[in-house]
Amino acid sequence: MGLQTKHIEDLKEALMCQQNNDHKVEDLVGKIVNDFQTYARKRSELSHRCCANYFAPSWNSPIENSMLWMGGCRPSSFIRLIYALCGSQAETLLTQNLLHIDENFDVNHGGFMSDLTATQLEKINELHMKVIKKEDKITKTSANFQDDVADMPIADVVVHGDAAVEDALDKHEEGMAVLLAEADKLRFETLRKIVEVMTPVQAAEFLLAGKRLHFSLHDRGRARADVCGGVGDDAV
């Protein structure tokens, strides 16, 4: 979360000064993408020890965990965010033109996502379709793992304390660790391909919006958890 905070500040600064230093924006975007790849690689290495922890991280609020897909966000949500940004910025620019407002670029009110070309949007749409298919494949495999839980020799522990139970749980976690790695790979590849389609400034805008959304959900989730604290325990 500390690294995410730094990324937000760096992106804001780079976008404010982008007209004088385009290379700085491009370098920063590349660094953030590399940081995500490093995070995914390290998580893959550690997940073989305690994979289940990554599907409901303790640093997340309950509402955040309820929104997770395979230990993170859906890669297709990256693309839906692009569509949302394009729509909101196009509406803002239209309003400014109708009212003859002349404003300098501000990362909070306008931007360059609305300048995506037809070719760029076509590539993003093609990527969207491919990502959804890969997501569905991973989701179905995960569902099969959950179905297999019913066949585990859990009942044996009551009578025999059978070690087969532990073996079955170990195999379940091993399978889920593989799926987590596949999901993280899809997240990274989707992010990398999106950045390749965009200009550096567009990519920086997209990354900034995504990180702000992440922090907004995190803060709101913590606030809701404080209000509802203890409800789950009392119910049990």
Side-chain angles (χ1 to χ4, degrees):
M1 297 302 289
L3 183 60
Q4 293 275 52
T5 300
K6 185 178 186 306
H7 283 166
I8 287 178
E9 295 306 316
D10 290 344
L11 284 166
K12 287 167 62 177
E13 180 183 353
L15 285 169
M16 294 291 286
C17 305
Q18 60 84 24
Q19 292 182 341
N20 299 322
N21 196 344
D22 289 340
H23 291 297
K24 181 178 180 180
V25 178
E26 186 173 6
D27 290 343
L28 179 58
V29 168
K31 181 182 182 302
I32 291 175
V33 172
N34 288 335
D35 284 345
F36 185 82
Q37 184 180 30
T38 300
Y39 168 78
R41 187 186 70 249
K42 289 183 177 180
R43 186 159 84 154
S44 178
E45 294 170 355
L46 294 171
S47 64
H48 292 283
R49 303 179 190 174
C50 49
C51 177
N53 291 347
Y54 290 101
F55 286 85
S58 59
W59 53 88
N60 277 355
S61 64
I63 193 69
E64 287 177 277
N65 283 333
S66 73
M67 297 177 181
L68 294 184
W69 174 83
M70 300 303 301
C73 60
R74 284 183 175 271
S76 58
S77 68
F78 299 166
I79 299 172
R80 290 197 294 272
L81 177 59
I82 294 173
Y83 295 152
L85 289 171
C86 287
S88 63
Q89 291 187 3
E91 183 178 352
T92 299
L93 290 173
L94 178 61
T95 301
Q96 291 177 356
N97 289 333
L98 289 173
L99 298 177
H100 305 290
I101 299 173
D102 183 17
E103 294 184 354
N104 293 323
F105 170 74
D106 185 292
V107 295
N108 293 311
H109 298 94
F112 297 94
M113 293 298 292
S114 58
D115 293 334
L116 285 169
T117 66
T119 300
Q120 286 176 306
L121 288 172
E122 182 179 2
K123 290 180 179 179
I124 290 172
N125 184 62
E126 290 175 357
L127 176 63
H128 195 190
M129 297 300 102
K130 292 178 181 178
V131 168
I132 288 176
K133 289 182 179 179
K134 292 180 179 179
E135 282 181 354
D136 287 345
K137 182 179 179 180
I138 293 174
T139 298
K140 288 178 181 177
T141 304
S142 176
N144 290 335
F145 277 131
Q146 291 177 339
D147 288 340
D148 291 342
V149 171
D151 297 326
M152 287 183 182
I154 299 296
D156 290 348
V157 75
V158 178
V159 180
H160 306 295
D162 199 332
V165 176
E166 289 299 323
D167 291 338
L169 291 174
D170 287 344
K171 289 180 180 179
H172 175 75
E173 283 215 79
E174 288 172 6
M176 294 305 294
V178 172
L179 279 185
L180 180 66
E182 289 183 12
D184 278 345
K185 180 180 178 181
L186 181 58
R187 278 185 274 262
F188 168 71
E189 288 297 327
T190 303
L191 179 64
R192 181 180 63 81
K193 290 177 181 178
I194 287 174
V195 168
E196 288 178 353
V197 170
M198 294 181 173
T199 67
V201 173
Q202 289 169 342
E205 263 198 349
F206 160 71
L207 290 171
L208 178 58
K211 292 179 184 297
R212 281 177 162 170
L213 177 59
H214 179 194
F215 265 87
S216 177
L217 287 173
H218 186 72
D219 291 341
R220 289 177 180 272
R222 286 296 178 89
R224 290 173 68 89
D226 290 341
V227 172
C228 301
V231 172
D233 294 337
D234 291 341
V236 174

